[in-house]
Amino acid sequence: MREHSGIPLTFGEEVAEALHAGEPVVALESNVITHGLPYPDNAATAAKVEAAVRAGGAVPATIGIEAGRLVIGMSGADIERFASASGIPKVSSRDMPIVLAQGGTGATTVASSLVAATLAGIPFFSSAGIGGVHRGAETTMDVSSDLIQFTRSKVAVVCAGAKNILDLNLTMEYLETQCVPVISYKTDDFPAFYCASSGIRSPHRLDDERTIARVVETHWAAGNDSAVLITTPPRDEDAVDRGEAEAAISEALAAAERDGVRGSAITKYLMRAVDKATGGRTSEANMAVLISTAEVGGRLAAAHSRYLREQEPARGRTEPV
Ligand code: PSU
Ligand code: MN
């Protein structure tokens, strides 16, 4: 246990040891467990995601809020409890102070997980589809806090692009405006969650893990206390055809409009509706891409930690990073 700027953090033992030794750690969100997938698929997937981070060469740290403390590295039992309980609230950055100050419990989104990762000193985070600018945001102003948090948290975010229920062109524009570097790893396009491509070309493609580590450190050395977005597409065998997904998304959007769903409930509503329309295919693909992205996240975090070790003797010299 450790207090940090008045925010109580509880570290899992393995995560604490890894951080102390400078070994690679990948932070993971818990909202995808409580709100992204149904039980018991969510619990099984969370375990596979953690195993994938390990296979990549890093230690997983699933993040949540429990009795007013930020948990950095939930145990298997914690995850099972979050997965099976109903009523654990979705806690994004703006909700955090209220939940923490009142000793509450909650599942962290991408945004609030980045806040926790920064406090804990974890430079890498992985999820599948980040939040972004929603379709129709011109009138609803629904822009996920995930994007705003990227401008405030010094974390490398490994993901399969943004969720395809969003307006991905506007999401990319926002990231550009906010000076958030976007890299696609071993692919030319910005992926669309469980679809291999959004149809949008990524501003930068990099195939080398060490170069990515160097980019991340260079971004921070330049004085940016913000995220770097590293995208990796779903594996071919897991990907859903973009046309098929789009048809289901259009239907889901119309249903959400009819049901008057908006605000923080819309993401879960749309994902469930799309899944129903595709006969469960998209939730299968969602699980698969969470796992494959986590493996890449583990690999990139490991490459980053190796890179930092290499730089160690050079510290204090005036060479570029
Ligand atoms: N993945 C899912 N379902 C989700 C999310 C991810 O399969 O609900 C979550 C993530 O936690 C992400 C959040 O941070 O949706 C974004 O929600 P909003 O658009 O309300 O900011
Ligand atoms: Mn929103």
Side-chain angles (χ1 to χ4, degrees), residues 71-241:
V71 182
I72 317 292
M74 291 169 71
S75 68
D78 293 337
I79 290 175
E80 174 64 29
R81 195 156 27 80
F82 267 48
S84 57
S86 60
I88 292 182
K90 166 177 173 176
V91 178
S92 196
S93 301
R94 63 154 188 184
D95 313 304
M96 267 181 112
I98 295 103
V99 176
L100 286 172
Q102 296 189 108
T105 291
T108 50
T109 62
V110 172
S112 53
S113 298
L114 294 185
V115 174
T118 307
L119 290 173
I122 303 175
F124 269 76
F125 168 86
S126 161
S127 187
I130 57 164
V133 181
H134 283 262
R135 300 186 194 199
E138 313 83 278
T139 50
T140 63
M141 285 186 70
D142 193 349
V143 178
S144 173
S145 297
D146 292 357
L147 294 187
I148 287 76
Q149 196 62 52
F150 293 156
T151 72
R152 303 176 182 186
S153 292
K154 252 177 97 175
V155 180
V157 175
V158 182
C159 64
K163 280 193 267 294
N164 54 352
I165 53 168
L166 302 164
D167 186 321
L168 297 182
N169 278 300
L170 292 186
T171 300
M172 287 298 263
E173 288 294 346
Y174 189 90
L175 290 167
E176 182 182 340
T177 300
Q178 296 293 340
C179 321
V180 177
V182 176
I183 300 163
S184 281
Y185 175 54
K186 291 186 175 164
T187 186
D188 290 323
D189 286 1
F190 187 69
F193 194 21
Y194 45 66
C195 300
S197 170
S198 57
I200 303 166
R201 217 174 157 80
S202 186
H204 304 282
R205 169 183 175 146
L206 292 173
D207 289 17
D208 175 58
E209 294 172 5
R210 188 173 181 281
T211 308
I212 292 178
R214 200 180 164 103
V215 166
V216 167
E217 285 302 312
T218 304
H219 180 62
W220 294 336
N224 297 293
D225 286 338
S226 58
V228 175
L229 211 59
I230 306 159
T231 68
T232 173
R235 301 182 310 169
D236 290 343
E237 58 269 42
D238 300 326
V240 174
D241 175 74

